[in-house]
Amino acid sequence: MQLQLNRRSSVPMYRQLATQLREQIISGELAEGYRLPPERELAARLEVNRTTILQAYQQLKDEGLIASKVGKGTFVLPQAIESTLPASSEQALLTSPISAAIPNAGSSAHTQVQVIRRVSSSDHAEPIVVRPPWSVLFSDYSNRFTYHDIASAERAQRGDTVIDFATGSPNPADIPDDLLRSVSLEAFASHEFDGQPESPIEGFSELRELLAAHMRTRGVHCNARNVMVLSGSEQGIDLCVRAFINPGDCVLVEQSTFFPALQAFRSADARIVGMPMDDYGMRTDLLEGYCARFHPKFIYTIPTFQNPTGSTLPAARRKELIDVARRYQCLIIEDDAYGELWYGGADEESAAVADGVIRGAVGGESRGATGGENRCKASDEAGGHSGQRPVPLKGMENAGYVMYLSTFSKTVTSGLRTGWIVADPHVIDRLAALRRMVDQHTSTSSQRICLELLKEGRIAEHVTTLTAAYRGRRDTAVAALERYAMQGMTWNVPEGGYYIWVTLPDGVRSLDVLDRCRAEGVTFMPGSVFDVDETDDSHIRLNIVHPDAGDIERGIRMICESM
């Protein structure tokens, strides 16, 4: 089987591969029953992502050329399929050449192909049903998505779970009913809301002014012209991709990152390269070499309370990241969904609890001793409990290389689909023009609610209360890990945000643990969902703010006992 892919071609590589395999199957070069190489083996041979092989195979399956049998492999189907069955058949079952083409294929093989036939008991054959060849009909844009990533993420969050560490949203009980009720009533009763005037595509000017003022408190020097209101920060990622990425452009990301961002880059046929990480986030000491080799158009990063690892990029690395981006004229998308949720300003008792946990781990007083030592190093470089709030990358440069994204969904409620982007006015104008094709403006109701939240410091008061509660849950989770973790487990101690990133002991697979935990009513996210190469099976992500505080210790104990 001879295969050769042209990486400079405008035709996606999965389509090149599908075309070559199709020609070899139809010509008879690949005979009926020929076993195709496994996805991982062929991906390694062709030096492509496994997703490319999966998409090519799926297209050929939809065309009825190949089929898979669990535990056996993927095989070439017969080129011709009989249109009728013997009239003497008295059962509504199929006996088809397809079954013969796949070793030990049973009735399950019939679901793998597009032609479905039934014979009634009265010996009259029903018409042939031919399903549409979906992979051929779907656009290249939609075919570039790796739906198995989304499916695995949804499976991790489905079911009647008792303790949910998987969902990437806050606990609804942490949002005071009176806050949203009073804010909504005031927003809808205001004179400005009369008749629900249509919003400019960039957002209401008053809201843009308030957001610019809010960003200045974070150290970002901007004005309303630099701000556009979005229907969630994910819309900002999509718009930036549409505005800047051409097929084949390189995007650098952290090796483990926000998987909807990966989907957005894949949809544009970008080349995604994962940057190595350590306890402090992206390895910026390697960034110069990566930029020199790949010449990226974008660097997408979550430098503050990163999703999924919870790490925070130290100030020195932030400066290095910006300096390298300037030298190579590479844009930076800074995703700061969790930046408001800084646990700093902790009282002495809470800080002592966290420090005591680290010291106890270093002293080997728990089964997670190795992890404690790593956490202590991370705290030293990142500032630990120094009381210094991380300054966004956008606050460290003013030339326009950084495009900053944030959202209200992580601090107020996930149902409030309102975010914003801070960027050069030229970028704002271009994104607004692109947005007109799909979304005229953010909901006026959501914008009015956000206006009221930003007025008179209401959102600041709410976040202060929220982070105090989250800091307590962080300490509870860390203490539980110290108490119940297996030897060889390590984890971070986040300075803010939602997540603790746990490294499993050697030989323990995250998906195996997830299966056992879900049976017991506990769920979390496996590391492979976030991994650029989709191969990380040694980490799990725990959302420590979503479960009720009283369930955290029990849930972590059950996770540790299931390994």
Side-chain angles (χ1 to χ4, degrees), residues 189-207:
S190 67
H191 175 71
E192 292 82 0
F193 193 73
D194 290 347
Q196 290 200 5
E198 184 173 309
S199 164
I201 197 164
E202 299 87 353
F204 286 123
S205 57
E206 184 181 1
L207 180 55

Side-chain angles (χ1 to χ4, degrees), residues 439-458:
D439 180 17
Q440 287 298 311
H441 57 80
T442 304
S443 162
T444 57
S445 300
S446 296
Q447 289 190 69
R448 292 295 178 190
I449 291 173
C450 293
L451 269 169
E452 295 299 325
L453 284 169
L454 286 169
K455 288 179 180 178
E456 301 175 3
R458 292 187 183 185

Side-chain angles (χ1 to χ4, degrees), residues 37-296:
E39 292 96 340
R40 293 187 186 278
E41 177 185 319
L42 187 55
R45 184 191 308 176
L46 298 177
E47 297 182 341
V48 297
N49 193 293
R50 180 169 170 249
T51 302
T52 301
I53 312 301
L54 288 168
Q55 289 177 327
Y57 278 11
Q58 186 59 54
Q59 180 167 327
L60 297 175
K61 288 176 184 178
D62 289 345
E63 295 173 16
L65 296 176
I66 64 174
S68 295
K69 173 66 177 176
V70 177
K72 299 296 182 181
T74 302
F75 300 86
V76 175
L77 294 175
Q79 293 188 36
I81 300 178
E82 297 176 4
S83 59
T84 60
L85 290 177
S88 60
S89 297
E90 296 183 355
Q91 298 179 341
L93 298 175
L94 294 176
T95 56
S96 163
I98 294 172
S99 297
I102 306 176
N104 298 326
S107 60
S108 62
H110 301 146
T111 63
Q112 301 289 341
V113 297
Q114 299 304 303
V115 180
I116 300 177
R117 297 189 298 279
R118 293 182 181 177
V119 179
S120 67
S121 58
S122 59
D123 295 343
H124 294 294
E126 295 182 7
I128 296 174
V129 178
V130 181
R131 294 176 182 154
W134 294 116
S135 289
V136 177
L137 297 175
F138 282 130
S139 68
D140 291 344
Y141 175 89
S142 65
N143 279 332
R144 292 188 194 109
F145 283 94
T146 49
Y147 293 101
H148 56 285
D149 279 359
I150 297 175
S152 63
E154 290 177 344
R155 281 196 301 272
Q157 300 177 62
R158 257 197 323 255
D160 299 325
T161 56
V162 177
I163 304 174
D164 182 5
F165 291 105
T167 304
S169 59
N171 188 323
D174 292 329
I175 312 301
D177 290 338
D178 57 343
L179 173 66
L180 289 180
R181 185 181 299 109
S182 61
V183 166
S184 298
L185 289 173
E186 292 177 26
F188 300 153
S190 67
H191 175 71
E192 292 82 0
F193 193 73
D194 290 347
Q196 290 200 5
E198 184 173 309
S199 164
I201 197 164
E202 299 87 353
F204 286 123
S205 57
E206 184 181 1
L207 180 55
R208 295 171 72 194
E209 292 281 1
L210 286 171
L211 286 169
H214 174 71
M215 293 307 303
R216 290 193 289 271
T217 67
R218 296 284 309 278
V220 177
H221 301 288
C222 64
N223 56 46
R225 287 192 64 219
N226 300 106
V227 179
M228 182 165 77
V229 184
L230 303 168
S231 299
S233 60
E234 287 183 42
Q235 184 182 55
I237 298 172
D238 180 71
L239 289 173
C240 288
V241 168
R242 292 171 185 266
F244 292 102
I245 295 298
N246 294 314
D249 282 345
C250 178
V251 178
L252 295 184
V253 303
E254 286 124 349
Q255 181 64 37
S256 295
T257 191
F258 183 50
F259 71 88
L262 294 176
Q263 300 287 35
F265 301 140
R266 287 170 183 150
S267 72
D269 202 18
R271 185 181 183 188
I272 305 172
V273 176
M275 284 291 301
M277 303 176 69
D278 59 16
D279 291 336
Y280 321 117
M282 182 186 293
R283 289 277 307 277
T284 55
D285 58 315
L286 303 175
L287 187 59
E288 178 98 30
Y290 272 72
C291 287
R293 180 179 180 87
F294 297 109
H295 301 284

